[in-house]
Amino acid sequence: DSKVHQFTERKNHGELNDLEEKSWLAHAIERQAAGGTGITDEEMVAISGIILSASVDTTSSLLSWNLLHIALNQDVQERVHEELSTAIASTGSGDGRLSADIFNKKTTPYLHAVLRETFRLTPAAPLVSFKKVGSEIEIHGQKFPEGSFFIFEGYSTGQRVFADDAQSFRPERWLPEAIDSRKGTPQAVIDHAFFRDPFSQGARKCPGSRVASNEAQVMLAQLLLDWKISVPGVDSHNEVPYKLMGAMAPILPTMEFVPRSS
């Protein structure tokens, strides 16, 4: 409660940074100030709490899959570590700590690519969007009546687009030059916003998406800066069972964490 009120005060005094200004809460405060939302201060505080709680399952599942892929792909792990170390040296405050600027996509593109490849290969939420149409609709010559229910499912799309090596963990697929090379081809469908993450888009986008994404980035970055991670006795993510716990989560095998030298 007090955190939300403090955030509101900082918003009203123009003290938020760029990331905070883009947050759900900042936009909710603006909508409330403009009138017409019908949401009280108390309700906004309650909604904020729900958003934080709802993001926990998605974040923990996403982070678990990321840790597994990082542990299985040592070359990827070292490349992320090198990128983060360089970013801290060039954008940090000099104390060796992570800062908000480091998580800009232009500063750490490979870290973002790792998260995107994890979602493609082992999505915590494979069904990314649901839509019931209010009138008849025609798609590629096929007519669907009013009330038809559509689901965007990203896993099979990622398998089809990268059929030659779909089970390989290759974050390079999501670097700018790779995305540019797919533009204008059938493979570009995988770059559509609906397939980018498990949060949907537009007015129905998960309001906790930014919380979940930021938490995953920060936690993964700090873990990789502090530890070398491996998973002895496991050669592929396909060997690891998983279960549904709000989201699809791996049953992680025993992992080894070795401190990195300072």
Side-chain angles (χ1 to χ4, degrees):
D1 190 332
S2 62
K3 292 287 186 181
V4 175
H5 289 303
Q6 289 173 16
F7 188 94
T8 303
E9 286 297 314
R10 291 177 56 223
K11 167 71 174 173
N12 292 337
H13 289 89
E15 298 173 354
L16 301 183
N17 62 36
D18 289 343
L19 287 175
E20 290 171 328
E21 283 289 359
K22 295 177 182 177
S23 68
W24 175 86
L25 184 55
H27 288 298
I29 293 170
E30 292 172 0
R31 289 192 296 270
Q32 187 183 42
T37 65
I39 297 177
T40 65
D41 289 343
E42 290 73 19
E43 289 170 335
M44 189 163 65
V45 170
I47 293 171
S48 298
I50 292 171
I51 289 171
L52 287 170
S53 298
S55 68
V56 169
D57 279 346
T58 305
T59 306
S60 62
S61 298
L62 174 62
L63 185 61
S64 295
W65 283 118
N66 269 289
L67 285 176
L68 179 62
H69 289 301
I70 284 292
L72 289 169
N73 296 273
Q74 293 293 307
D75 57 332
V76 171
Q77 183 174 159
E78 292 309 308
R79 183 168 174 179
V80 176
H81 180 266
E82 181 179 353
E83 180 181 75
L84 288 168
S85 299
T86 301
I88 289 175
S90 61
T91 66
S93 59
D95 58 5
R97 296 184 179 183
L98 294 170
S99 65
D101 291 339
I102 289 171
F103 297 101
N104 185 299
K105 196 170 184 178
K106 293 182 178 179
T107 305
T108 49
Y110 199 70
L111 172 65
H112 286 80
V114 166
L115 293 166
R116 178 65 182 88
E117 179 69 346
T118 294
F119 177 63
R120 180 198 71 84
L121 189 56
T122 49
L127 306 180
V128 297
S129 183
F130 305 83
K131 176 69 175 179
K132 182 178 181 181
V133 296
S135 59
E136 183 181 80
I137 186 173
E138 182 174 333
I139 302 176
H140 296 303
Q142 174 69 46
K143 292 185 177 181
F144 296 88
E146 176 186 347
S148 294
F149 196 72
F150 291 88
I151 299 175
F152 280 84
E153 184 273 309
Y155 176 75
S156 61
T157 303
Q159 295 294 299
R160 174 176 53 81
V161 168
F162 302 114
D164 291 343
D165 63 345
Q167 287 298 303
S168 299
F169 187 78
R170 291 186 51 228
E172 294 79 9
R173 308 181 203 271
W174 311 106
L175 295 178
E177 55 269 24
I179 294 174
D180 289 342
S181 71
R182 289 193 292 269
K183 289 182 178 178
T185 72
Q187 286 72 30
V189 65
I190 196 64
D191 299 312
H192 191 282
F194 277 118
F195 296 128
R196 188 180 302 149
D197 53 44
F199 305 116
S200 189
Q201 297 294 321
R204 294 178 177 83
K205 184 171 183 176
C206 171
S209 60
R210 189 172 295 276
V211 174
S213 295
N214 289 344
E215 281 185 342
Q217 290 174 27
V218 172
M219 292 177 70
L220 183 62
Q222 192 63 64
L223 283 169
L224 293 182
L225 285 170
D226 293 341
W227 306 91
K228 287 179 66 72
I229 307 169
S230 61
V231 53
V234 180
D235 297 319
S236 168
H237 68 277
N238 289 318
E239 300 174 22
V240 178
Y242 56 87
K243 60 182 178 180
L244 181 63
M245 301 189 304
M248 298 299 295
I251 303 173
L252 289 176
T254 300
M255 306 182 78
E256 288 189 355
F257 291 75
V258 178
R260 290 184 182 270
S261 57
S262 56

